Structures are given as structure tokens and as C-alpha cells.
Short mmCIF file of all heavy atoms in Angstrom, two decimals:
data_model
loop_
_atom_site.label_atom_id
_atom_site.label_comp_id
_atom_site.label_asym_id
_atom_site.label_seq_id
_atom_site.Cartn_x
_atom_site.Cartn_y
_atom_site.Cartn_z
N MET A 1 -78.53 -9.89 -6.37
CA MET A 1 -78.24 -10.24 -4.97
C MET A 1 -76.78 -9.89 -4.66
O MET A 1 -75.90 -10.25 -5.44
CB MET A 1 -78.47 -11.74 -4.78
CG MET A 1 -78.38 -12.20 -3.35
SD MET A 1 -78.55 -14.00 -3.22
CE MET A 1 -80.11 -14.29 -4.09
N PRO A 2 -76.52 -9.22 -3.55
CA PRO A 2 -75.11 -8.89 -3.22
C PRO A 2 -74.28 -10.15 -3.06
O PRO A 2 -74.76 -11.15 -2.52
CB PRO A 2 -75.23 -8.14 -1.88
CG PRO A 2 -76.66 -7.74 -1.77
CD PRO A 2 -77.45 -8.71 -2.58
N GLU A 3 -73.07 -10.07 -3.51
CA GLU A 3 -72.17 -11.23 -3.49
C GLU A 3 -72.06 -11.85 -2.10
O GLU A 3 -72.10 -13.06 -1.93
CB GLU A 3 -70.79 -10.77 -3.98
CG GLU A 3 -69.76 -11.86 -4.10
CD GLU A 3 -69.97 -12.72 -5.33
OE1 GLU A 3 -70.84 -12.40 -6.15
OE2 GLU A 3 -69.27 -13.72 -5.45
N ALA A 4 -71.97 -10.99 -1.07
CA ALA A 4 -71.71 -11.49 0.28
C ALA A 4 -72.88 -12.28 0.86
O ALA A 4 -72.70 -13.07 1.77
CB ALA A 4 -71.39 -10.32 1.21
N THR A 5 -74.07 -12.05 0.35
CA THR A 5 -75.23 -12.72 0.95
C THR A 5 -75.76 -13.85 0.08
O THR A 5 -76.74 -14.48 0.43
CB THR A 5 -76.37 -11.72 1.21
OG1 THR A 5 -76.73 -11.12 -0.02
CG2 THR A 5 -75.96 -10.67 2.21
N SER A 6 -75.13 -14.11 -1.07
CA SER A 6 -75.60 -15.23 -1.88
C SER A 6 -74.75 -16.45 -1.57
O SER A 6 -73.53 -16.36 -1.49
CB SER A 6 -75.53 -14.88 -3.36
OG SER A 6 -74.19 -14.72 -3.76
N PRO A 7 -75.40 -17.60 -1.36
CA PRO A 7 -74.62 -18.79 -1.03
C PRO A 7 -73.90 -19.34 -2.24
O PRO A 7 -74.25 -19.03 -3.39
CB PRO A 7 -75.71 -19.76 -0.57
CG PRO A 7 -76.94 -19.33 -1.29
CD PRO A 7 -76.82 -17.84 -1.46
N GLY A 8 -72.87 -20.13 -1.99
CA GLY A 8 -72.27 -20.90 -3.06
C GLY A 8 -73.09 -22.17 -3.23
O GLY A 8 -74.31 -22.16 -3.20
N LYS A 9 -72.38 -23.27 -3.34
CA LYS A 9 -73.06 -24.55 -3.57
C LYS A 9 -73.82 -25.00 -2.31
O LYS A 9 -73.37 -24.79 -1.19
CB LYS A 9 -72.00 -25.58 -3.95
CG LYS A 9 -72.55 -26.85 -4.53
CD LYS A 9 -71.41 -27.68 -5.13
CE LYS A 9 -70.27 -27.90 -4.15
NZ LYS A 9 -69.71 -29.24 -4.18
N ILE A 10 -74.95 -25.62 -2.51
CA ILE A 10 -75.69 -26.27 -1.44
C ILE A 10 -75.82 -27.74 -1.82
O ILE A 10 -76.10 -28.05 -2.98
CB ILE A 10 -77.10 -25.68 -1.27
CG1 ILE A 10 -77.06 -24.16 -1.19
CG2 ILE A 10 -77.78 -26.27 -0.04
CD1 ILE A 10 -78.44 -23.52 -1.31
N GLU A 11 -75.59 -28.62 -0.86
CA GLU A 11 -75.75 -30.05 -1.13
C GLU A 11 -76.65 -30.68 -0.08
O GLU A 11 -76.64 -30.27 1.07
CB GLU A 11 -74.40 -30.77 -1.07
CG GLU A 11 -73.49 -30.47 -2.23
CD GLU A 11 -72.15 -31.18 -2.10
OE1 GLU A 11 -71.79 -31.61 -0.98
OE2 GLU A 11 -71.48 -31.29 -3.12
N VAL A 12 -77.39 -31.69 -0.49
CA VAL A 12 -78.14 -32.51 0.46
C VAL A 12 -77.56 -33.92 0.41
O VAL A 12 -77.41 -34.51 -0.67
CB VAL A 12 -79.64 -32.56 0.10
CG1 VAL A 12 -80.37 -33.57 0.99
CG2 VAL A 12 -80.27 -31.19 0.24
N ASP A 13 -77.17 -34.42 1.57
CA ASP A 13 -76.69 -35.81 1.66
C ASP A 13 -77.90 -36.74 1.69
O ASP A 13 -78.60 -36.84 2.69
CB ASP A 13 -75.85 -35.98 2.92
CG ASP A 13 -75.19 -37.35 2.97
OD1 ASP A 13 -75.78 -38.32 2.46
OD2 ASP A 13 -74.09 -37.44 3.53
N ARG A 14 -78.15 -37.37 0.56
CA ARG A 14 -79.36 -38.19 0.44
C ARG A 14 -79.33 -39.41 1.35
O ARG A 14 -80.37 -39.97 1.67
CB ARG A 14 -79.56 -38.61 -1.03
CG ARG A 14 -79.83 -37.43 -1.95
CD ARG A 14 -80.04 -37.89 -3.38
NE ARG A 14 -81.18 -38.76 -3.55
CZ ARG A 14 -82.43 -38.33 -3.75
NH1 ARG A 14 -82.68 -37.04 -3.78
NH2 ARG A 14 -83.41 -39.19 -3.90
N GLU A 15 -78.13 -39.84 1.72
CA GLU A 15 -78.03 -40.97 2.65
C GLU A 15 -78.52 -40.56 4.04
O GLU A 15 -79.14 -41.34 4.75
CB GLU A 15 -76.59 -41.45 2.74
CG GLU A 15 -76.01 -41.94 1.43
CD GLU A 15 -76.67 -43.22 0.97
OE1 GLU A 15 -76.85 -44.12 1.80
OE2 GLU A 15 -77.02 -43.31 -0.23
N LEU A 16 -78.24 -39.32 4.42
CA LEU A 16 -78.60 -38.83 5.74
C LEU A 16 -80.04 -38.35 5.81
O LEU A 16 -80.71 -38.49 6.84
CB LEU A 16 -77.67 -37.68 6.16
CG LEU A 16 -76.24 -38.01 6.52
CD1 LEU A 16 -75.49 -36.72 6.86
CD2 LEU A 16 -76.20 -38.95 7.73
N CYS A 17 -80.52 -37.75 4.75
CA CYS A 17 -81.84 -37.11 4.75
C CYS A 17 -82.92 -38.12 5.09
O CYS A 17 -82.99 -39.20 4.52
CB CYS A 17 -82.11 -36.48 3.39
SG CYS A 17 -83.76 -35.75 3.24
N ILE A 18 -83.76 -37.73 6.07
CA ILE A 18 -84.85 -38.61 6.49
C ILE A 18 -86.21 -38.04 6.09
O ILE A 18 -87.24 -38.50 6.56
CB ILE A 18 -84.82 -38.83 8.02
CG1 ILE A 18 -84.84 -37.49 8.77
CG2 ILE A 18 -83.59 -39.66 8.42
CD1 ILE A 18 -85.02 -37.62 10.27
N GLY A 19 -86.19 -37.02 5.25
CA GLY A 19 -87.44 -36.46 4.75
C GLY A 19 -88.25 -35.72 5.79
O GLY A 19 -89.48 -35.65 5.71
N ALA A 20 -87.58 -35.18 6.79
CA ALA A 20 -88.28 -34.49 7.87
C ALA A 20 -88.92 -33.19 7.40
O ALA A 20 -89.81 -32.67 8.06
CB ALA A 20 -87.32 -34.20 9.02
N ALA A 21 -88.44 -32.68 6.29
CA ALA A 21 -89.01 -31.49 5.65
C ALA A 21 -88.86 -30.21 6.45
O ALA A 21 -89.52 -29.22 6.16
CB ALA A 21 -90.47 -31.70 5.26
N SER A 22 -88.01 -30.22 7.46
CA SER A 22 -87.74 -28.97 8.19
C SER A 22 -87.18 -27.92 7.24
O SER A 22 -87.51 -26.74 7.35
CB SER A 22 -86.75 -29.21 9.32
OG SER A 22 -87.16 -30.30 10.10
N CYS A 23 -86.34 -28.36 6.33
CA CYS A 23 -85.74 -27.42 5.39
C CYS A 23 -86.81 -26.78 4.51
O CYS A 23 -86.75 -25.59 4.22
CB CYS A 23 -84.67 -28.10 4.54
SG CYS A 23 -85.25 -29.59 3.68
N VAL A 24 -87.79 -27.58 4.11
CA VAL A 24 -88.87 -27.06 3.27
C VAL A 24 -89.71 -26.07 4.08
O VAL A 24 -90.13 -25.03 3.58
CB VAL A 24 -89.74 -28.20 2.73
CG1 VAL A 24 -90.85 -27.66 1.84
CG2 VAL A 24 -88.89 -29.21 1.97
N ALA A 25 -89.95 -26.40 5.36
CA ALA A 25 -90.74 -25.50 6.21
C ALA A 25 -90.04 -24.16 6.37
O ALA A 25 -90.69 -23.11 6.38
CB ALA A 25 -90.96 -26.15 7.57
N VAL A 26 -88.72 -24.18 6.50
CA VAL A 26 -87.97 -22.95 6.69
C VAL A 26 -87.80 -22.19 5.38
O VAL A 26 -87.90 -20.96 5.35
CB VAL A 26 -86.58 -23.24 7.31
CG1 VAL A 26 -85.71 -22.00 7.31
CG2 VAL A 26 -86.75 -23.79 8.72
N ALA A 27 -87.58 -22.91 4.30
CA ALA A 27 -87.23 -22.26 3.04
C ALA A 27 -87.79 -23.02 1.85
O ALA A 27 -87.07 -23.67 1.09
CB ALA A 27 -85.71 -22.15 2.93
N ALA A 28 -89.11 -22.92 1.68
CA ALA A 28 -89.77 -23.62 0.57
C ALA A 28 -89.35 -23.05 -0.78
O ALA A 28 -89.55 -23.69 -1.82
CB ALA A 28 -91.28 -23.55 0.73
N GLN A 29 -88.78 -21.83 -0.76
CA GLN A 29 -88.33 -21.27 -2.04
C GLN A 29 -87.03 -21.92 -2.51
O GLN A 29 -86.63 -21.77 -3.66
CB GLN A 29 -88.14 -19.74 -1.93
CG GLN A 29 -86.97 -19.27 -1.09
CD GLN A 29 -87.28 -19.15 0.40
OE1 GLN A 29 -87.95 -19.99 0.97
NE2 GLN A 29 -86.76 -18.09 1.02
N ILE A 30 -86.37 -22.64 -1.60
CA ILE A 30 -85.09 -23.26 -1.94
C ILE A 30 -85.20 -24.78 -2.00
O ILE A 30 -84.65 -25.42 -2.90
CB ILE A 30 -84.01 -22.89 -0.90
CG1 ILE A 30 -83.89 -21.36 -0.77
CG2 ILE A 30 -82.66 -23.52 -1.27
CD1 ILE A 30 -83.05 -20.92 0.41
N PHE A 31 -85.90 -25.37 -1.02
CA PHE A 31 -85.92 -26.83 -0.89
C PHE A 31 -87.29 -27.40 -1.25
O PHE A 31 -88.31 -26.75 -1.06
CB PHE A 31 -85.57 -27.24 0.55
CG PHE A 31 -84.19 -26.84 0.97
CD1 PHE A 31 -83.96 -25.65 1.63
CD2 PHE A 31 -83.10 -27.66 0.69
CE1 PHE A 31 -82.68 -25.27 2.01
CE2 PHE A 31 -81.81 -27.29 1.06
CZ PHE A 31 -81.60 -26.10 1.72
N ASP A 32 -87.26 -28.63 -1.72
CA ASP A 32 -88.48 -29.38 -2.00
C ASP A 32 -88.17 -30.84 -1.71
O ASP A 32 -87.00 -31.22 -1.55
CB ASP A 32 -88.87 -29.18 -3.47
CG ASP A 32 -90.35 -29.45 -3.71
OD1 ASP A 32 -91.07 -29.84 -2.76
OD2 ASP A 32 -90.78 -29.27 -4.87
N LEU A 33 -89.19 -31.66 -1.60
CA LEU A 33 -88.97 -33.10 -1.45
C LEU A 33 -89.26 -33.78 -2.77
O LEU A 33 -90.20 -33.43 -3.47
CB LEU A 33 -89.87 -33.69 -0.36
CG LEU A 33 -89.61 -33.24 1.08
CD1 LEU A 33 -90.49 -34.02 2.04
CD2 LEU A 33 -88.16 -33.37 1.47
N ASP A 34 -88.43 -34.77 -3.10
CA ASP A 34 -88.66 -35.50 -4.35
C ASP A 34 -89.54 -36.73 -4.06
O ASP A 34 -90.06 -36.90 -2.95
CB ASP A 34 -87.34 -35.87 -5.02
CG ASP A 34 -86.53 -36.88 -4.21
OD1 ASP A 34 -87.06 -37.46 -3.24
OD2 ASP A 34 -85.36 -37.10 -4.56
N GLY A 35 -89.71 -37.57 -5.04
CA GLY A 35 -90.60 -38.71 -4.92
C GLY A 35 -90.13 -39.74 -3.90
O GLY A 35 -90.93 -40.57 -3.45
N GLU A 36 -88.85 -39.67 -3.52
CA GLU A 36 -88.33 -40.57 -2.50
C GLU A 36 -88.31 -39.91 -1.13
O GLU A 36 -87.68 -40.42 -0.20
CB GLU A 36 -86.91 -41.01 -2.87
CG GLU A 36 -86.85 -41.81 -4.15
CD GLU A 36 -85.42 -42.15 -4.56
OE1 GLU A 36 -84.50 -42.05 -3.72
OE2 GLU A 36 -85.23 -42.50 -5.73
N ASN A 37 -88.97 -38.76 -1.00
CA ASN A 37 -88.99 -38.02 0.26
C ASN A 37 -87.61 -37.56 0.69
O ASN A 37 -87.28 -37.53 1.88
CB ASN A 37 -89.63 -38.85 1.38
CG ASN A 37 -90.95 -38.24 1.83
OD1 ASN A 37 -91.47 -37.33 1.19
ND2 ASN A 37 -91.49 -38.74 2.92
N LYS A 38 -86.79 -37.26 -0.28
CA LYS A 38 -85.47 -36.70 -0.02
C LYS A 38 -85.47 -35.25 -0.48
O LYS A 38 -86.10 -34.92 -1.50
CB LYS A 38 -84.38 -37.46 -0.79
CG LYS A 38 -84.33 -38.95 -0.49
CD LYS A 38 -83.73 -39.24 0.86
CE LYS A 38 -83.55 -40.75 1.06
NZ LYS A 38 -82.97 -41.06 2.37
N ALA A 39 -84.78 -34.41 0.27
CA ALA A 39 -84.76 -33.00 -0.09
C ALA A 39 -83.96 -32.77 -1.36
O ALA A 39 -82.91 -33.40 -1.58
CB ALA A 39 -84.16 -32.19 1.06
N ILE A 40 -84.46 -31.89 -2.18
CA ILE A 40 -83.73 -31.44 -3.37
C ILE A 40 -83.64 -29.92 -3.36
O ILE A 40 -84.45 -29.25 -2.71
CB ILE A 40 -84.41 -31.92 -4.68
CG1 ILE A 40 -85.88 -31.49 -4.70
CG2 ILE A 40 -84.28 -33.42 -4.85
CD1 ILE A 40 -86.55 -31.68 -6.04
N ILE A 41 -82.64 -29.42 -4.04
CA ILE A 41 -82.46 -27.97 -4.16
C ILE A 41 -83.18 -27.53 -5.43
O ILE A 41 -82.90 -28.06 -6.51
CB ILE A 41 -80.96 -27.60 -4.29
CG1 ILE A 41 -80.10 -28.38 -3.29
CG2 ILE A 41 -80.78 -26.10 -4.17
CD1 ILE A 41 -80.31 -28.05 -1.87
N LYS A 42 -84.04 -26.58 -5.30
CA LYS A 42 -84.73 -26.08 -6.49
C LYS A 42 -83.74 -25.36 -7.40
O LYS A 42 -82.94 -24.55 -6.92
CB LYS A 42 -85.84 -25.12 -6.09
CG LYS A 42 -87.02 -25.79 -5.41
CD LYS A 42 -88.13 -24.78 -5.15
CE LYS A 42 -89.37 -25.47 -4.61
NZ LYS A 42 -90.46 -24.50 -4.30
N PRO A 43 -83.77 -25.67 -8.68
CA PRO A 43 -82.87 -24.98 -9.60
C PRO A 43 -83.22 -23.49 -9.67
O PRO A 43 -84.39 -23.12 -9.61
CB PRO A 43 -83.12 -25.67 -10.95
CG PRO A 43 -84.41 -26.38 -10.81
CD PRO A 43 -84.64 -26.65 -9.36
N ASN A 44 -82.20 -22.68 -9.76
CA ASN A 44 -82.38 -21.23 -9.93
C ASN A 44 -83.13 -20.58 -8.77
O ASN A 44 -83.81 -19.58 -8.96
CB ASN A 44 -83.09 -20.91 -11.25
CG ASN A 44 -82.36 -21.48 -12.44
OD1 ASN A 44 -81.14 -21.40 -12.50
ND2 ASN A 44 -83.09 -22.06 -13.37
N HIS A 45 -83.01 -21.18 -7.59
CA HIS A 45 -83.68 -20.56 -6.45
C HIS A 45 -83.00 -19.23 -6.13
O HIS A 45 -81.84 -19.01 -6.48
CB HIS A 45 -83.61 -21.47 -5.22
CG HIS A 45 -82.23 -21.61 -4.67
ND1 HIS A 45 -81.65 -20.66 -3.86
CD2 HIS A 45 -81.29 -22.56 -4.85
CE1 HIS A 45 -80.44 -21.04 -3.55
NE2 HIS A 45 -80.18 -22.18 -4.14
N GLN A 46 -83.73 -18.35 -5.45
CA GLN A 46 -83.20 -17.02 -5.13
C GLN A 46 -82.90 -16.91 -3.64
O GLN A 46 -82.90 -15.81 -3.09
CB GLN A 46 -84.21 -15.94 -5.55
CG GLN A 46 -84.47 -15.91 -7.05
CD GLN A 46 -83.25 -15.47 -7.83
OE1 GLN A 46 -82.60 -14.49 -7.47
NE2 GLN A 46 -82.91 -16.18 -8.88
N GLY A 47 -82.69 -18.06 -2.98
CA GLY A 47 -82.48 -18.03 -1.54
C GLY A 47 -81.19 -17.32 -1.16
O GLY A 47 -80.15 -17.51 -1.81
N ASP A 48 -81.26 -16.50 -0.12
CA ASP A 48 -80.04 -15.83 0.34
C ASP A 48 -79.32 -16.70 1.39
O ASP A 48 -79.88 -17.68 1.90
CB ASP A 48 -80.32 -14.43 0.87
CG ASP A 48 -81.29 -14.42 2.03
OD1 ASP A 48 -81.48 -15.46 2.68
OD2 ASP A 48 -81.88 -13.35 2.28
N LEU A 49 -78.11 -16.32 1.69
CA LEU A 49 -77.29 -17.16 2.57
C LEU A 49 -77.88 -17.32 3.97
O LEU A 49 -77.91 -18.45 4.48
CB LEU A 49 -75.87 -16.59 2.62
CG LEU A 49 -74.87 -17.36 3.47
CD1 LEU A 49 -74.77 -18.82 3.02
CD2 LEU A 49 -73.49 -16.71 3.40
N PRO A 50 -78.36 -16.26 4.61
CA PRO A 50 -78.95 -16.47 5.95
C PRO A 50 -80.10 -17.47 5.93
O PRO A 50 -80.24 -18.29 6.86
CB PRO A 50 -79.42 -15.07 6.35
CG PRO A 50 -78.55 -14.14 5.57
CD PRO A 50 -78.28 -14.83 4.26
N THR A 51 -80.92 -17.42 4.91
CA THR A 51 -82.05 -18.34 4.81
C THR A 51 -81.56 -19.77 4.60
O THR A 51 -82.07 -20.72 5.22
CB THR A 51 -82.98 -17.92 3.65
OG1 THR A 51 -83.37 -16.56 3.84
CG2 THR A 51 -84.22 -18.80 3.62
N VAL A 52 -80.58 -19.93 3.75
CA VAL A 52 -80.01 -21.26 3.51
C VAL A 52 -79.43 -21.82 4.81
O VAL A 52 -79.62 -22.99 5.15
CB VAL A 52 -78.92 -21.19 2.42
CG1 VAL A 52 -78.16 -22.50 2.34
CG2 VAL A 52 -79.54 -20.85 1.07
N LEU A 53 -78.73 -20.97 5.55
CA LEU A 53 -78.13 -21.43 6.81
C LEU A 53 -79.20 -21.79 7.83
O LEU A 53 -79.06 -22.78 8.55
CB LEU A 53 -77.19 -20.35 7.37
CG LEU A 53 -75.84 -20.24 6.67
CD1 LEU A 53 -75.07 -19.04 7.21
CD2 LEU A 53 -75.02 -21.52 6.84
N ASN A 54 -80.26 -21.00 7.89
CA ASN A 54 -81.34 -21.32 8.81
C ASN A 54 -81.93 -22.69 8.47
O ASN A 54 -82.23 -23.49 9.37
CB ASN A 54 -82.45 -20.26 8.74
CG ASN A 54 -82.10 -19.02 9.53
OD1 ASN A 54 -81.23 -19.06 10.40
ND2 ASN A 54 -82.76 -17.92 9.23
N ALA A 55 -82.12 -22.95 7.21
CA ALA A 55 -82.67 -24.23 6.79
C ALA A 55 -81.71 -25.36 7.13
O ALA A 55 -82.12 -26.42 7.64
CB ALA A 55 -82.96 -24.21 5.29
N ALA A 56 -80.43 -25.14 6.88
CA ALA A 56 -79.44 -26.18 7.17
C ALA A 56 -79.40 -26.48 8.66
O ALA A 56 -79.31 -27.65 9.08
CB ALA A 56 -78.05 -25.74 6.68
N LYS A 57 -79.49 -25.44 9.48
CA LYS A 57 -79.44 -25.63 10.94
C LYS A 57 -80.73 -26.28 11.45
O LYS A 57 -80.73 -26.88 12.53
CB LYS A 57 -79.20 -24.28 11.63
CG LYS A 57 -77.79 -23.78 11.39
CD LYS A 57 -77.59 -22.37 11.92
CE LYS A 57 -76.17 -21.88 11.60
NZ LYS A 57 -75.97 -20.46 11.97
N ALA A 58 -81.81 -26.15 10.70
CA ALA A 58 -83.07 -26.76 11.11
C ALA A 58 -83.12 -28.26 10.81
O ALA A 58 -83.96 -28.98 11.35
CB ALA A 58 -84.24 -26.07 10.40
N CYS A 59 -82.23 -28.72 9.97
CA CYS A 59 -82.24 -30.14 9.60
C CYS A 59 -81.82 -31.00 10.79
O CYS A 59 -80.73 -30.81 11.34
CB CYS A 59 -81.29 -30.38 8.42
SG CYS A 59 -81.20 -32.13 7.97
N PRO A 60 -82.65 -31.94 11.21
CA PRO A 60 -82.35 -32.72 12.42
C PRO A 60 -81.17 -33.67 12.25
O PRO A 60 -80.63 -34.14 13.26
CB PRO A 60 -83.65 -33.48 12.68
CG PRO A 60 -84.35 -33.54 11.37
CD PRO A 60 -83.97 -32.28 10.64
N VAL A 61 -80.80 -33.96 11.02
CA VAL A 61 -79.69 -34.89 10.81
C VAL A 61 -78.50 -34.23 10.12
O VAL A 61 -77.58 -34.90 9.64
CB VAL A 61 -80.16 -36.13 10.01
CG1 VAL A 61 -81.12 -36.97 10.84
CG2 VAL A 61 -80.80 -35.73 8.69
N ALA A 62 -78.51 -32.90 10.05
CA ALA A 62 -77.41 -32.14 9.45
C ALA A 62 -77.03 -32.66 8.08
O ALA A 62 -75.85 -32.88 7.77
CB ALA A 62 -76.19 -32.12 10.38
N ALA A 63 -78.06 -32.84 7.24
CA ALA A 63 -77.83 -33.40 5.91
C ALA A 63 -77.61 -32.32 4.85
O ALA A 63 -77.39 -32.64 3.69
CB ALA A 63 -79.02 -34.27 5.50
N ILE A 64 -77.68 -31.07 5.27
CA ILE A 64 -77.53 -29.97 4.30
C ILE A 64 -76.16 -29.33 4.48
O ILE A 64 -75.82 -28.88 5.57
CB ILE A 64 -78.63 -28.91 4.50
CG1 ILE A 64 -80.01 -29.55 4.29
CG2 ILE A 64 -78.43 -27.74 3.54
CD1 ILE A 64 -81.17 -28.64 4.68
N TYR A 65 -75.38 -29.33 3.42
CA TYR A 65 -74.04 -28.74 3.44
C TYR A 65 -74.09 -27.45 2.64
O TYR A 65 -74.60 -27.41 1.52
CB TYR A 65 -73.02 -29.68 2.79
CG TYR A 65 -72.97 -31.06 3.42
CD1 TYR A 65 -72.71 -32.19 2.64
CD2 TYR A 65 -73.18 -31.25 4.78
CE1 TYR A 65 -72.66 -33.46 3.19
CE2 TYR A 65 -73.13 -32.52 5.34
CZ TYR A 65 -72.87 -33.61 4.55
OH TYR A 65 -72.82 -34.87 5.10
N VAL A 66 -73.55 -26.42 3.26
CA VAL A 66 -73.55 -25.10 2.61
C VAL A 66 -72.11 -24.67 2.38
O VAL A 66 -71.28 -24.73 3.29
CB VAL A 66 -74.27 -24.06 3.49
CG1 VAL A 66 -74.37 -22.72 2.76
CG2 VAL A 66 -75.66 -24.55 3.90
N TYR A 67 -71.84 -24.23 1.17
CA TYR A 67 -70.49 -23.81 0.80
C TYR A 67 -70.47 -22.34 0.44
O TYR A 67 -71.44 -21.80 -0.12
CB TYR A 67 -69.99 -24.62 -0.42
CG TYR A 67 -69.86 -26.09 -0.12
CD1 TYR A 67 -70.96 -26.93 -0.25
CD2 TYR A 67 -68.65 -26.62 0.30
CE1 TYR A 67 -70.85 -28.28 0.04
CE2 TYR A 67 -68.53 -27.97 0.59
CZ TYR A 67 -69.63 -28.79 0.46
OH TYR A 67 -69.53 -30.13 0.74
N HIS A 68 -69.36 -21.70 0.76
CA HIS A 68 -69.12 -20.33 0.33
C HIS A 68 -68.80 -20.35 -1.16
O HIS A 68 -68.43 -21.39 -1.73
CB HIS A 68 -67.94 -19.77 1.12
CG HIS A 68 -67.73 -18.30 0.95
ND1 HIS A 68 -66.94 -17.76 -0.03
CD2 HIS A 68 -68.24 -17.23 1.63
CE1 HIS A 68 -66.95 -16.44 0.06
NE2 HIS A 68 -67.75 -16.10 1.06
N LYS A 69 -68.95 -19.21 -1.78
CA LYS A 69 -68.62 -19.12 -3.21
C LYS A 69 -67.18 -19.52 -3.51
O LYS A 69 -66.87 -20.02 -4.59
CB LYS A 69 -68.86 -17.69 -3.70
CG LYS A 69 -70.31 -17.39 -4.01
CD LYS A 69 -70.40 -16.78 -5.40
CE LYS A 69 -71.79 -16.42 -5.86
NZ LYS A 69 -72.88 -17.20 -5.41
N ASP A 70 -66.29 -19.32 -2.53
CA ASP A 70 -64.89 -19.68 -2.77
C ASP A 70 -64.63 -21.18 -2.55
O ASP A 70 -63.51 -21.65 -2.72
CB ASP A 70 -63.94 -18.84 -1.90
CG ASP A 70 -64.00 -19.19 -0.41
OD1 ASP A 70 -64.65 -20.20 -0.05
OD2 ASP A 70 -63.39 -18.46 0.38
N GLY A 71 -65.67 -21.92 -2.18
CA GLY A 71 -65.56 -23.37 -2.10
C GLY A 71 -65.44 -23.94 -0.70
O GLY A 71 -65.64 -25.13 -0.52
N HIS A 72 -65.11 -23.11 0.30
CA HIS A 72 -64.97 -23.70 1.63
C HIS A 72 -66.35 -23.90 2.26
O HIS A 72 -67.29 -23.14 2.00
CB HIS A 72 -64.03 -22.88 2.52
CG HIS A 72 -64.64 -21.69 3.18
ND1 HIS A 72 -64.53 -20.42 2.67
CD2 HIS A 72 -65.37 -21.56 4.33
CE1 HIS A 72 -65.16 -19.57 3.46
NE2 HIS A 72 -65.70 -20.23 4.47
N ARG A 73 -66.44 -24.93 3.09
CA ARG A 73 -67.72 -25.26 3.69
C ARG A 73 -68.01 -24.34 4.86
O ARG A 73 -67.17 -24.17 5.74
CB ARG A 73 -67.74 -26.73 4.14
CG ARG A 73 -69.15 -27.22 4.43
CD ARG A 73 -69.18 -28.71 4.53
NE ARG A 73 -68.76 -29.15 5.87
CZ ARG A 73 -68.63 -30.42 6.21
NH1 ARG A 73 -68.85 -31.36 5.31
NH2 ARG A 73 -68.24 -30.75 7.41
N ILE A 74 -69.20 -23.76 4.86
CA ILE A 74 -69.62 -22.87 5.94
C ILE A 74 -70.35 -23.65 7.01
O ILE A 74 -70.20 -23.40 8.20
CB ILE A 74 -70.56 -21.77 5.39
CG1 ILE A 74 -69.91 -21.00 4.26
CG2 ILE A 74 -71.00 -20.83 6.50
CD1 ILE A 74 -70.88 -20.11 3.50
N TYR A 75 -71.17 -24.62 6.57
CA TYR A 75 -71.98 -25.38 7.52
C TYR A 75 -72.19 -26.78 7.01
O TYR A 75 -72.45 -26.95 5.82
CB TYR A 75 -73.34 -24.70 7.73
CG TYR A 75 -74.14 -25.35 8.83
CD1 TYR A 75 -73.97 -24.98 10.16
CD2 TYR A 75 -75.05 -26.37 8.54
CE1 TYR A 75 -74.68 -25.60 11.17
CE2 TYR A 75 -75.76 -26.99 9.55
CZ TYR A 75 -75.58 -26.60 10.85
OH TYR A 75 -76.26 -27.21 11.85
N PRO A 76 -72.11 -27.83 7.84
CA PRO A 76 -71.63 -27.76 9.22
C PRO A 76 -70.16 -27.38 9.25
O PRO A 76 -69.41 -27.70 8.34
CB PRO A 76 -71.82 -29.20 9.72
CG PRO A 76 -72.66 -29.90 8.73
CD PRO A 76 -72.51 -29.19 7.44
N GLU A 77 -69.75 -26.73 10.36
CA GLU A 77 -68.36 -26.29 10.46
C GLU A 77 -67.45 -27.45 10.76
O GLU A 77 -67.84 -28.43 11.32
CB GLU A 77 -68.23 -25.21 11.54
CG GLU A 77 -68.93 -23.91 11.12
CD GLU A 77 -68.87 -22.87 12.22
OE1 GLU A 77 -67.80 -22.70 12.82
OE2 GLU A 77 -69.90 -22.23 12.48
S1 LIG B 101 -84.56 -31.07 6.97
FE1 LIG B 101 -82.86 -32.50 6.57
S2 LIG B 101 -83.79 -34.51 6.81
FE2 LIG B 101 -85.44 -33.06 6.56
S3 LIG B 101 -85.91 -33.08 4.37
FE3 LIG B 101 -84.48 -31.40 4.76
S4 LIG B 101 -82.46 -32.31 4.39
FE4 LIG B 101 -83.89 -34.00 4.65
#
């Protein structure tokens, strides 16, 4: 995957997540729900940055944080 299109760290704020599963609907290759109906990031997912951002923007409570490889937060801004 080209460096520019691969995301850095992705985090889900479990306190905010309401299990709406919008992220899973947008990007099931990256997100899943755990037994508590909270989103988790699949290990070793191959999601690209545009897809990750689409999923983060689809979250109704903005519980998905996306970071650039250099560590700065891309979303939410
Ligand atoms: S879209 Fe947001 S609230 Fe819904 S499961 Fe994903 S992280 Fe949680």
C-alpha cells in the first residue's frame, strides 16, 4: 500500500461509541463490533485512508479518531 494512502493509528473511543455500526457498514474490512457492541479495529486490516476516513465521518458520535503516520490527528480535526 502506498505510504500516502495508508492510515496511521485508528482509535475508537469506547465511552462515546453507541454501537450504531455505521463504521462496520462502511468498512467491514476494518471495523467489527465486540461482545459489548463497541467497535473494534480488526488487527492487520488492509483498509486505506479514504475508507477509514469515510467510516470515521459516518460515525454519528464521532468516536473514531484517525491519525496520520507522523502522529498528528487527521479526524476529527
Ligand atoms: S459508527 Fe461510531 S458509534 Fe457506531 S459502532 Fe462505529 S464507532 Fe461505534
Side-chain angles (χ1 to χ4, degrees):
M1 187 184 306
E3 184 77 6
T5 58
S6 66
K9 194 169 53 139
I10 310 168
E11 288 178 341
V12 172
D13 187 328
R14 295 181 62 86
E15 299 292 315
L16 288 178
C17 177
I18 55 171
S22 310
C23 53
V24 181
V26 171
Q29 71 274 42
I30 304 169
F31 297 93
D32 202 357
L33 293 186
D34 67 11
E36 296 176 16
N37 247 10
K38 303 286 186 180
I40 54 169
I41 316 292
K42 290 185 174 178
N44 303 318
H45 69 80
Q46 297 293 314
D48 59 20
L49 181 56
T51 305
V52 170
L53 284 174
N54 281 341
K57 290 173 182 174
C59 177
V61 292
I64 300 171
Y65 304 146
V66 185
Y67 296 86
H68 190 270
K69 279 231 180 328
D70 71 8
H72 82 264
R73 195 166 82 184
I74 304 169
Y75 187 86
E77 291 177 44

